[in-house]
Amino acid sequence: MYSRKKLLQDSRKTKNNLNMFYDIIIIGGGASGLCTAIQSKTEINTVLVLDHNSIPGKKILSTGNGRCNLTNVNASVDLFDSNPEGLIPYMTSGDPLFYQQVISQFDCHDTVNFFAENGLLCTDKNGYIYPRSEQAVSVQEVLKNRCEDLGIDVVVNHDVRSITKKKDHEFVVDSRYECLNLVLATGGLSGASTGNDGSGYKMAQSFGHHLIDPTPALCGIRCSDQIFRYLKGTRTDGRLSFKAQGKEISVHGNIQFTDYGISGIPAFQISSIIGYMLAIGETPVITVDLMPEIALYELVNLLYRNYKLIPAKKRYDKPAQRMLAGILNQNVINAVIRRFSAAGSTNDPDAMCLALARAIKLFQVHPYELMPFENAQTTAGGICTDEIDPLTMESKLVKGLFFTGEMIDVNGICGGYNLQWAFSTASICGKTLQARQSLRL
Ligand SMILES: Cc1cc2nc3c(=O)[nH]c(=O)nc-3n(C[C@H](O)[C@H](O)[C@H](O)COP(=O)(O)OP(=O)(O)OC[C@H]3O[C@@H](n4cnc5c(N)ncnc54)[C@H](O)[C@@H]3O)c2cc1C
């Protein structure tokens, strides 16, 4: 037997016998799409999520190394300007005011509350928020189950190719579905294996929206230096620094050296700024400090002490190798000594200690390209924020068209900021749609 609510819902779904009608259609069932669906659903309205993957929220499963770092305590407006490093912004966009307005409406605390209300408990690991289970699948399951429980239709394996507008106010999706409100939640270009092909950008552009050139972000950085053949496969604690627009940018963490250049969290954090500099024709130089915990003069003293440990008759036989043996990773020693020798090695102990210390603390590498989108965790660039209302996430150009998540020109550093962005935009969009719906009823 049909309840009154179900009859009403079904009558809203089948407006005419050609196409299925929904109040809201969301293209993309990723983090922001599923969250928008949950936040926009009312008892009466009908919501459809379309995704071309075989399961909703597929990308969530690979986030945070399978643990899903879903937000960060710093993802709130009060703390936005106080990055602990004080050096790279948590988020980057053509218009910083845009993301600040969005985050101020729905921040990390709201994300934790939203998930608690929907049955997911979180845990705080030094400010990085994970599901209590420390399994990304918990996040994906909760979002998927809530969609099911709320009566949201989620259709997978549907690759949306066309959106048109019928009359003034109805969207037609793939000549099969119709709706009054259409949400583009198709992500960016990062992580192609989890369904991101940039098709959403074309859909937005077909409605007159402008695209800020998308580039990979949170990815490894290719460098032209030959030295990587000695360093590949090495991980070391270090600091990466470079100058951008006159400002010194610097990030500390576990650096991974690869055959192409640098990777690991510190490289990811600076990748979008390096990518931007390369795109505008600049030639940034990154200084790698391979011993950030010690000042240059202290290192010189330490090396001199090690030099003195070498018996006098052996001081002419590869002293640098012996001086560094107990201090650095073997691959790093090889690379440092190559740089030291290339700079014209000396046997004068003072000059040698200073030159070695400089080779360790001022180890320069030369980026020329970012790793491709397949290897990137997010996208810099995207749909221009000037054309989106941050209070509703609605297009300023087309009524009833909304944007959420990574497809907008905002990207965050590692640490939960990108998923927070997905949830903040989704929540604003979902609540707008819910309010609009109730006004209509
Ligand atoms: C390996 C990896 C690890 C990450 N770890 C973290 C982390 O720990 N913390 C964090 O904050 N961020 C992390 N991120 C980034 C984060 O996952 C994204 O920022 C976030 O998922 C973006 O959400 P979204 O909804 O905008 O897009 P997505 O999650 O990419 O969802 C877009 C959806 O749209 C679908 N779609 C696209 N085009 C179409 C179409 N034409 N038809 C139908 N469906 C379509 C896709 O299949 C996809 O499901 C990580 C990313 C990667 C790749």
Side-chain angles (χ1 to χ4, degrees), residues 16-35:
N16 60 46
N17 48 17
L18 288 176
N19 295 328
M20 288 286 279
F21 178 85
Y22 285 85
D23 295 302
I24 301 162
I25 295 182
I26 299 162
I27 304 181
S32 74
L34 295 176
C35 184

Side-chain angles (χ1 to χ4, degrees), residues 27-33 50-53 59 62-64 68-69 158-161 185-187 191 194-197 199 203 376-378 404-407 416-420 422:
I27 304 181
S32 74
L50 295 169
D51 199 293
H52 56 195
N53 278 332
K59 192 193 266 186
S62 48
T63 57
C68 186
N69 175 199
H158 182 114
D159 183 30
V160 176
R161 285 294 113 183
T186 49
T194 43
N196 298 80
D197 59 5
S199 48
M203 296 176 207
Q377 289 197 0
T378 192
T404 62
E406 191 176 317
M407 72 175 309
Y417 300 95
N418 288 299
L419 282 171
Q420 177 61 49

